[in-house]
Amino acid sequence: QVQLVESGGGSVQSGGSLRLSCAASGYTLSGNRAGWFRQAPGQEREGVASLGAFGAVTYTDSVKGRFTVSRDNAKNTLYLQMTGLKPEDTAIYYCATGAVRPTLVSLRPDDYSRWGQGTQVTVSS
């Protein structure tokens, strides 16, 4: 059974940092595209970061220079290091993976087929 389990969310003040983790089981993250998405209340799900199978990365403009996506193949875990957090970063964060054209990065939810349950990130001003 494939599972993606996020952890590391929480509440921080503006300017703070968090590291989100996404542990995969029943599924190998390496060799597939992996991404982080977020969804704030009343808003559509937004692609935050994407990591291709061969290491290509992309970020949405609002997080460039502040967030870093990485993967530990030995631990089969995806990470999102978030620094300089702002109140507008408040959302539920989801990890996801996609196997179609895995070397390509994408911030489109439709390019991902497996999703975690999400972890809440709240940034106060």
Side-chain angles (χ1 to χ4, degrees), residues 4-7 92-95 115-119:
L4 299 175
V5 180
E6 300 97 335
S7 61
I92 299 175
Y93 282 71
Y94 301 88
C95 67
W115 293 81
Q117 83 291 346
T119 186

Side-chain angles (χ1 to χ4, degrees), residues 92-115:
I92 299 175
Y93 282 71
Y94 301 88
C95 67
T97 66
V100 178
R101 306 182 73 183
T103 60
L104 301 182
V105 294
S106 173
L107 296 178
R108 297 175 63 246
D110 286 349
D111 289 331
Y112 295 80
S113 56
R114 293 181 169 88
W115 293 81

Side-chain angles (χ1 to χ4, degrees), residues 7-108:
S7 61
S11 297
V12 296
Q13 291 191 328
S14 183
S17 300
L18 285 173
R19 188 178 79 156
L20 304 184
S21 299
C22 173
S25 59
Y27 187 81
T28 301
L29 286 177
S30 63
N32 292 286
R33 176 173 52 251
W36 287 98
F37 292 78
R38 65 187 179 187
Q39 189 165 20
Q43 297 187 20
E44 293 186 353
R45 191 164 296 190
E46 173 192 26
V48 174
S50 178
L51 175 61
F54 290 168
V57 297
T58 193
Y59 300 91
T60 192
D61 287 346
S62 63
V63 308
K64 285 180 181 177
R66 300 188 297 123
F67 290 11
T68 303
V69 61
S70 63
R71 180 178 56 219
D72 186 327
N73 293 338
K75 295 183 178 180
N76 205 26
T77 299
L78 182 73
Y79 300 100
L80 184 68
Q81 179 68 50
M82 305 186 294
T83 62
L85 283 162
K86 304 175 181 180
E88 50 264 43
D89 295 318
T90 295
I92 299 175
Y93 282 71
Y94 301 88
C95 67
T97 66
V100 178
R101 306 182 73 183
T103 60
L104 301 182
V105 294
S106 173
L107 296 178
R108 297 175 63 246

